[in-house]
Amino acid sequence: MNAKRILITGGAGFIGSHVVRLFVNKYPDTEIVNLDALTYAGNLENLSDVENKPNYKFEKGDITDEPYINDLFDRYDFDGVIHLAAESHVDRSITDPLSFIKTNIVGTVNLLNAARNKWKDNGENKLFYHISTDEVYGSLGETGFFTEQTPYDPRSPYSASKASSDHLVRAYYHTYKLPVVISNCSNNYGPNQFPEKLIPLVINNIKNMKPIPVYGKGENVRDWLYVVDHARAIDMIFNEGKKGETYNIGGNNEWRNIDLIKVMCSILDKKLGREPGMSESLITFVKDRAGHDLRYAIDSGKLMSELGWKPSLQFEEGIEKTIDWYLENEKWMKNVIDGTYESYYKKQYVDR
Ligand code: NAD
Ligand code: TYD
């Protein structure tokens, strides 16, 4: 790691907080600046274990605010950017597409412009790393995998906004020679995920004996990767990835939603001392998501063969760990659900 100072955007969110933790602990001589607007998805409690480390700095700010972003790049001399800040939930993108356009597209362009302006004379050792999703490739049928060559075919406002930002990042590489790299990852799971996403939502509902909403018939397939393994891949790509390249990251771990939910029901029955089948009785089939992509599956062959990455956890172990984390961190979940987490910033950074 040669970088002296790295900007990580969206570091208070689910994946971002795992990336910040990894970098702050692994690279004590590198200053890690976490820029986050603290939207509903940003939760600084995710980072309470690293917030007092000398190489960590938090900046509250919005990537859609162009003057603010330019000023941030003037105040810090960043060697690298790892860009995760985004609106990330497909269902929200269906009800409010514009906020996805603003953050995911306009926000990304503000960062690209700031990096381009600052790095125009000394770009060789800099890197703009854009974090994206496999959803840009569209929806697979029963067979096949997304590779880095799969044509883009986004089908939700979320995936269309991410696809657009990916195209812009590549355009800055070709047009302005901005040093960039992109990765597209499959569905992540693990600690600190906002409980609007499937896995934490299911855990929380089972625990509280609430109905488990299954969209359509539960036949949609997702490829699940443990979030810490995504953070490890990001570290590898940031340090060893080739400029201008794209890397796919996936778990090689496909589950139909209904099968995944049943496995979680059975694990939770045991952990909560319930009769077998009790949690499954909460499964409730509800109206399908509009335009619901059938199947995502990633071929991570390039990342594995070129950079030597592989997931460290098998799914059985990862899902147990994840369930244990949510059961042991009741307060985190309670604070998220009742909104208490939103006062954390004020307590930690304003009032003291
Ligand atoms: P998240 O919703 O948990 O976190 C997003 C973070 O970005 C939050 O902390 C939020 O406050 C911040 N943010 C949102 N708008 C902002 C703005 N305008 N300015 C500054 N900060 C802002 O998301 P996540 O699941 O951690 O995803 C992180 C990134 O990884 C996203 O770019 C997403 O597209 C990508 N990704 C996610 C997954 C997944 O399964 N969750 C898979 C592949 C790729
Ligand atoms: P989600 O976690 O929202 O991730 P994504 O849509 O980005 O893949 O959803 C994962 C899958 O679970 C997806 O097929 C939609 C489905 N789903 C449900 O069946 N019920 C729910 O309550 C949620 C949130 C998702």
Side-chain angles (χ1 to χ4, degrees):
M1 163 81 62
N2 294 319
K4 284 208 241 5
R5 191 169 296 118
I6 299 173
L7 172 66
I8 298 183
T9 71
F14 166 48
I15 302 171
S17 62
H18 288 273
V19 176
V20 167
R21 175 174 302 102
L22 176 70
F23 275 68
V24 166
N25 289 329
K26 187 167 172 187
Y27 304 112
D29 296 331
T30 302
E31 187 178 5
I32 306 299
V33 179
N34 170 17
L35 163 66
D36 200 296
L38 300 183
T39 68
Y40 80 94
N43 181 353
L44 284 177
E45 285 184 33
N46 295 346
L47 288 167
S48 52
D49 58 326
V50 294
E51 70 190 5
N52 292 321
K53 299 255 171 159
N55 63 331
Y56 172 72
K57 183 117 197 344
F58 176 66
E59 284 277 344
K60 185 171 187 295
D62 191 327
I63 58 169
T64 66
D65 182 346
E66 185 187 355
Y68 168 80
I69 292 297
N70 291 336
D71 175 62
L72 184 81
F73 275 72
D74 280 340
R75 281 191 284 126
Y76 294 95
D77 186 15
F78 295 121
D79 299 306
V81 175
I82 305 179
H83 174 37
L84 295 107
E87 287 293 338
S88 69
H89 191 43
V90 174
D91 292 330
R92 285 181 191 255
S93 82
I94 295 169
T95 47
D96 178 22
L98 195 57
S99 59
F100 285 68
I101 308 306
K102 287 182 183 152
T103 290
N104 299 359
I105 306 177
V106 177
T108 300
V109 173
N110 282 336
L111 291 164
L112 287 167
N113 282 337
R116 182 186 156 220
N117 287 336
K118 287 311 279 188
W119 297 346
K120 58 179 179 294
D121 300 321
N122 61 346
E124 321 79 58
N125 296 318
K126 312 286 188 188
L127 185 64
F128 189 102
Y129 181 1
H130 178 62
I131 306 298
S132 192
T133 165
D134 61 354
E135 303 191 24
V136 298
Y137 297 121
S139 179
L140 291 164
E142 307 272 300
T143 58
F145 295 91
F146 298 133
T147 72
E148 289 81 0
Q149 279 72 47
T150 304
Y152 275 31
D153 184 22
R155 295 150 50 99
S156 73
Y158 164 64
S159 53
S161 67
K162 291 296 290 188
S164 174
S165 62
D166 292 10
H167 288 318
L168 285 157
V169 171
R170 287 194 188 96
Y172 274 62
Y173 174 73
H174 290 289
T175 309
Y176 307 114
K177 311 281 175 268
L178 187 75
V180 308
V181 71
I182 299 179
S183 60
N184 296 81
C185 189
S186 64
N187 286 63
N188 284 216
Y189 72 99
N192 305 102
Q193 189 167 29
F194 197 83
E196 63 186 351
K197 306 277 169 65
L198 182 70
I199 288 184
L201 182 140
V202 169
I203 297 171
N204 191 48
N205 285 18
I206 293 178
K207 186 160 162 272
N208 296 302
M209 285 301 284
K210 288 191 352 205
I212 304 169
V214 181
Y215 297 170
K217 294 185 181 146
E219 286 171 345
N220 305 67
V221 174
R222 298 291 183 264
D223 172 1
W224 294 96
L225 178 69
Y226 193 62
V227 62
V228 173
D229 281 325
H230 187 188
R232 287 175 51 249
I234 290 173
D235 176 27
M236 239 173 210
I237 294 167
F238 183 79
N239 283 297
E240 294 159 46
K242 235 176 106 198
K243 287 176 184 161
E245 294 282 313
T246 294
Y247 296 88
N248 279 355
I249 313 170
N252 195 20
N253 174 45
E254 291 180 52
W255 287 85
R256 287 197 318 164
N257 292 339
I258 189 68
D259 298 332
L260 172 66
I261 290 167
K262 285 184 179 168
V263 166
M264 292 170 68
C265 286
S266 133
I267 298 176
L268 275 152
D269 277 344
K270 287 199 199 96
K271 289 194 187 286
L272 298 171
R274 291 183 183 163
E275 289 292 312
M278 193 160 158
S279 300
E280 251 191 68
S281 69
L282 300 169
I283 290 177
T284 310
F285 292 94
V286 298
K287 187 165 172 274
D288 208 354
R289 173 185 280 171
H292 197 170
D293 288 343
L294 177 66
R295 176 171 166 260
Y296 305 141
I298 277 271
D299 176 346
S300 337
K302 175 176 171 181
L303 179 62
M304 294 173 106
S305 64
E306 290 187 12
L307 302 189
W309 174 86
K310 63 174 185 332
S312 67
L313 275 190
Q314 292 301 309
F315 184 68
E316 290 66 24
E317 199 186 331
I319 194 73
E320 283 264 345
K321 263 178 101 127
T322 301
I323 289 174
D324 286 343
W325 188 86
Y326 286 98
L327 294 180
E328 282 158 17
N329 289 274
E330 250 179 36
K331 181 129 184 294
W332 181 92
M333 185 62 94
K334 188 188 150 290
N335 287 351
V336 169
I337 299 223
D338 71 14
T340 309
Y341 72 105
E342 288 175 310
S343 59
Y344 188 85
Y345 169 73
K346 199 163 169 290
K347 222 169 51 217
Q348 284 298 320
Y349 291 87
V350 182
D351 293 344
R352 74 178 184 173

